[in-house]
Amino acid sequence: MSAKKQKDTEDPPRGVLIEPGWTGTVRDIDPRSTPGFDGKKKDGQQRLTELDAPIDELQERLYAQSRATGEGPSVLLVVQGMDTSGKGGIMRHVVGGVDPQGVQITGFKAPTRAEKRHDFLWRIRKRVPGPGMIGVFDRSHYEDVLIHRVHGWADGNEIRHRYAAINAFEKELVEAGTTVVKVMLHLSHAEQGERLMERLERPDKHWKYNPGDVDERLRWEEYMDAYDKALAATSTEAAPWHVVPADRKWYARIAVQQLLLDALQGIDPQWPAADFDIRGELERLTATLD
Amino acid sequence: MSAKKQKDTEDPPRGVLIEPGWTGTVRDIDPRSTPGFDGKKKDGQQRLTELDAPIDELQERLYAQSRATGEGPSVLLVVQGMDTSGKGGIMRHVVGGVDPQGVQITGFKAPTRAEKRHDFLWRIRKRVPGPGMIGVFDRSHYEDVLIHRVHGWADGNEIRHRYAAINAFEKELVEAGTTVVKVMLHLSHAEQGERLMERLERPDKHWKYNPGDVDERLRWEEYMDAYDKALAATSTEAAPWHVVPADRKWYARIAVQQLLLDALQGIDPQWPAADFDIRGELERLTATLD
């Protein structure tokens, strides 16, 4: 690229779109790259701050639009990634920029015994965003085709059954008016090592460390295979995946922010018309003024 | 006060504490006053930004502390106030400064039919914050002794019964480790008139306007009486009220922020000790590094 690009070019940062029918591997995407963005960290941080305002207004419109009728579109942002890939930072610095009244974050841990008695989508369905809301999943139903594949908790047939169930579920969501944004935070093995090391070295980070993290790390290649297969099977027209390089935290944040902005702009929510008699109310209110 | 005070004096902005046994009226508190703060709007806005960082760290400690055991203290911030008193702004600008993963906001609307079949505290109990969390109520169980008194939906005996139930409930919460912070955003009748007028005049604010708002406004004095009685009956040692002057939005925000900071500092959460073998994990992790 010849000239240094600024934000608001035709090519904002969005990570890498996984087209339906994709047969690649995430290994071919450089976790340190910054697709769509030529700036440095400082430029990225500035962009993150500047885009808060347009997202804020769109989110308020989205929320407002649904208040009158109790119906209307919504957004679901699904965030997946290996341990330390920066999911928490996305919640804090991207989602945290949005009015918290319009956002519902759900962190999906290992399912409880009660949850295990149901279909894997049961607990997911309960947390899809209502009209006007932005729902965010920190991990998701994709765990059921990722960790389950890696550990062999489900066989190939069952995994394929789950892909189909996921695609049907997401299609249903989209048809009901939810824009589904799916992000894989794509971290390198080396960067994960450094981040885990930092958690071990800093007492204020110990609480984030779990010995199981190293066990999973030892299965890195199996996880990458599982991601490749899951992305290939579930990147659909209705709900495509974006692989967002995540070794640079600042880049991952502006890319996810852009995807959220895209989703809101795609909905193009409008301020709802007044459902009351404006002139009559002006008179009524004026009569009460001090 | 002689010299202009800066933040971090002994007397930060906290609104007005309602001591247990109080028999006053909120009418004696000036909604335009800024108790504990001599600065101007710009100073207040700066303070709001600056205090985000200490709150952020305390919140993270609070959250971290509970992760190991699934137990531990929490904070419940109850925000009450007349229409347009700025509850939404508190959610957005004070609560919105905190990591959204550690916060649960509940807006209580008129109860549903299902909720009405239960005791008035039933839906409230379901939304109290879990260990390590900051729960925020935008309206609350206090509606059941405010609007219910004003409209006569409950008689004096029933209201007194509810005060007792509320005090018992909040005492139980506090004993279980929840710091309960109760705030009345105290708006003037004149300022409410202006804010409602703005909602009527701006198409992007119409969605926030409800003709019922004027109906309630016509009962202003009855509401102030209901607040006086509720504050007198439920400002306890365990869970006192603060009346926060709210005609200046910036002041209300820094006062509520200070009360949240006080609550977190009172808990004084600590980073939890590692529950794993640090040296052993360092060796295990080092063996995996690239």
Side-chain angles (χ1 to χ4, degrees):
Chain A
M1 283 174 265
S2 51
K4 184 173 170 178
K5 282 193 205 165
Q6 288 301 316
K7 64 181 178 61
D8 300 328
T9 60
E10 332 165 87
D11 195 22
R14 293 191 172 103
V16 175
L17 171 67
I18 302 300
E19 303 276 1
W22 177 83
T23 55
T25 168
V26 294
R27 295 176 183 85
D28 288 340
I29 299 169
D30 179 358
R32 285 194 70 77
S33 63
T34 60
F37 195 75
D38 279 3
K40 302 252 181 267
K41 179 174 181 175
K42 204 181 52 150
D43 306 314
Q45 288 170 332
Q46 188 185 338
R47 183 188 168 90
L48 190 70
T49 304
E50 287 172 0
L51 285 192
D52 266 351
I55 289 181
D56 213 46
E57 170 158 351
L58 285 163
Q59 180 275 326
E60 191 177 352
R61 285 175 187 253
L62 179 71
Y63 186 84
Q65 185 178 268
S66 72
R67 288 310 95 170
T69 59
E71 295 177 1
S74 59
V75 175
L76 174 61
L77 172 64
V78 174
V79 183
Q80 282 289 151
M82 301 294 287
D83 288 324
T84 78
S85 60
K87 298 184 290 295
I90 296 291
M91 301 306 143
R92 194 161 183 159
H93 299 285
V94 180
V95 181
V98 182
D99 186 345
Q101 299 168 97
V103 173
Q104 181 182 269
I105 297 179
T106 306
F108 288 99
K109 318 276 182 201
T112 63
R113 195 181 298 190
E115 287 168 347
K116 281 183 183 163
R117 278 199 294 266
H118 294 84
D119 178 82
F120 75 105
L121 290 174
W122 180 76
R123 63 177 187 157
I124 306 292
R125 288 180 187 277
K126 293 202 292 184
R127 305 296 295 174
V128 300
M133 294 293 288
I134 298 175
V136 185
F137 287 176
D138 175 353
R139 301 188 186 271
S140 67
H141 43 301
Y142 285 97
E143 294 297 321
D144 294 275
V145 294
L146 293 166
I147 188 170
H148 281 240
R149 175 185 286 277
V150 168
H151 285 265
W153 299 336
D155 64 19
N157 267 339
E158 172 63 19
I159 296 286
R160 277 187 295 279
H161 167 77
R162 290 182 189 176
Y163 291 151
I166 287 171
N167 287 343
F169 163 63
E170 292 179 357
K171 183 158 179 280
E172 172 195 312
L173 276 183
V174 170
E175 284 170 357
T178 302
T179 302
V180 179
V181 180
K182 301 189 294 194
V183 170
M184 176 208 180
L185 296 178
H186 179 47
L187 190 71
S188 69
H189 186 260
E191 179 69 18
Q192 190 194 49
E194 288 182 27
R195 293 186 187 175
L196 285 174
M197 190 57 81
E198 191 189 11
R199 290 186 179 179
L200 274 177
E201 287 171 344
R202 285 177 50 179
D204 63 332
K205 300 272 188 189
H206 282 163
W207 70 277
K208 291 187 171 183
Y209 184 87
N210 183 327
D213 297 348
V214 173
D215 300 331
E216 300 307 308
R217 176 170 167 79
L218 292 168
R219 299 169 180 263
W220 187 270
E221 293 305 324
E222 293 166 81
Y223 270 104
M224 294 305 107
D225 286 340
Y227 269 104
D228 285 346
K229 290 190 169 81
L231 267 52
T234 64
S235 213
T236 58
E237 292 288 348
W241 277 96
H242 286 81
V243 175
V244 170
D247 275 16
R248 302 180 199 261
K249 289 179 182 172
W250 62 265
Y251 175 78
R253 291 171 191 168
I254 60 173
V256 176
Q257 184 189 44
Q258 179 65 44
L259 293 170
L260 181 58
L261 181 61
D262 289 345
L264 290 165
Q265 286 175 335
I267 291 172
D268 190 22
Q270 301 298 317
W271 297 117
D275 58 356
F276 51 83
D277 167 18
I278 298 173
R279 179 183 297 265
E281 288 301 312
L282 275 168
E283 283 171 15
R284 236 161 59 89
L285 177 60
T286 301
T288 72
L289 294 183
D290 299 62
Chain B
M1 281 174 266
S2 52
K4 183 173 170 180
K5 284 194 204 165
Q6 289 300 318
K7 63 180 179 62
D8 300 329
T9 60
E10 333 167 84
D11 195 22
R14 291 190 174 104
V16 175
L17 171 67
I18 302 300
E19 303 276 0
W22 178 82
T23 55
T25 169
V26 294
R27 294 176 183 86
D28 289 341
I29 300 169
D30 179 359
R32 287 194 71 76
S33 63
T34 62
F37 195 75
D38 280 2
K40 303 249 180 271
K41 179 173 182 175
K42 204 181 52 152
D43 307 315
Q45 289 170 331
Q46 189 184 338
R47 182 188 169 91
L48 190 70
T49 304
E50 286 172 2
L51 285 191
D52 267 350
I55 289 180
D56 213 46
E57 170 159 351
L58 285 163
Q59 180 275 326
E60 191 177 352
R61 284 176 188 253
L62 179 72
Y63 186 85
Q65 184 177 267
S66 72
R67 288 311 94 171
T69 59
E71 294 178 4
S74 59
V75 175
L76 173 61
L77 172 63
V78 174
V79 183
Q80 282 289 151
M82 300 294 287
D83 288 324
T84 77
S85 60
K87 298 183 292 294
I90 295 293
M91 301 307 143
R92 194 162 182 159
H93 300 284
V94 180
V95 180
V98 182
D99 187 346
Q101 298 168 99
V103 173
Q104 180 182 269
I105 297 179
T106 306
F108 287 100
K109 317 276 182 201
T112 63
R113 195 182 297 191
E115 287 169 347
K116 281 184 183 164
R117 279 199 293 266
H118 294 84
D119 178 83
F120 76 104
L121 290 173
W122 180 76
R123 64 177 186 157
I124 305 293
R125 287 181 188 276
K126 293 202 293 183
R127 303 297 295 175
V128 300
M133 295 292 289
I134 298 175
V136 184
F137 287 175
D138 176 354
R139 302 191 186 269
S140 67
H141 42 302
Y142 284 97
E143 294 296 322
D144 294 274
V145 294
L146 293 166
I147 189 171
H148 280 240
R149 175 186 285 280
V150 168
H151 285 267
W153 298 337
D155 64 18
N157 267 337
E158 172 62 19
I159 296 286
R160 277 187 295 279
H161 167 78
R162 291 182 187 175
Y163 291 151
I166 287 172
N167 287 343
F169 164 63
E170 292 179 356
K171 183 159 179 280
E172 172 196 312
L173 277 183
V174 170
E175 284 170 357
T178 302
T179 302
V180 179
V181 180
K182 300 189 294 193
V183 170
M184 177 209 179
L185 296 177
H186 179 47
L187 189 71
S188 69
H189 185 261
E191 179 69 17
Q192 190 194 48
E194 287 182 27
R195 293 186 187 176
L196 285 174
M197 190 57 80
E198 191 188 10
R199 291 186 179 179
L200 275 177
E201 287 171 344
R202 286 178 49 178
D204 63 332
K205 299 273 188 188
H206 282 163
W207 69 278
K208 291 187 172 185
Y209 184 88
N210 183 327
D213 297 347
V214 172
D215 301 331
E216 300 307 308
R217 176 171 167 78
L218 291 168
R219 298 169 180 263
W220 187 270
E221 293 306 322
E222 293 165 81
Y223 270 105
M224 294 305 108
D225 287 339
Y227 269 106
D228 285 346
K229 290 190 169 83
L231 267 53
T234 64
S235 212
T236 58
E237 292 288 349
W241 278 96
H242 286 80
V243 175
V244 170
D247 274 16
R248 301 180 200 263
K249 290 178 181 173
W250 62 265
Y251 174 78
R253 290 171 191 169
I254 62 174
V256 176
Q257 184 188 44
Q258 178 65 44
L259 294 169
L260 182 59
L261 181 61
D262 290 346
L264 290 165
Q265 287 175 335
I267 292 171
D268 191 23
Q270 301 298 318
W271 297 117
D275 58 356
F276 51 83
D277 168 17
I278 299 173
R279 179 182 298 266
E281 288 301 314
L282 275 168
E283 282 172 15
R284 235 159 58 89
L285 177 60
T286 301
T288 72
L289 293 183
D290 299 61

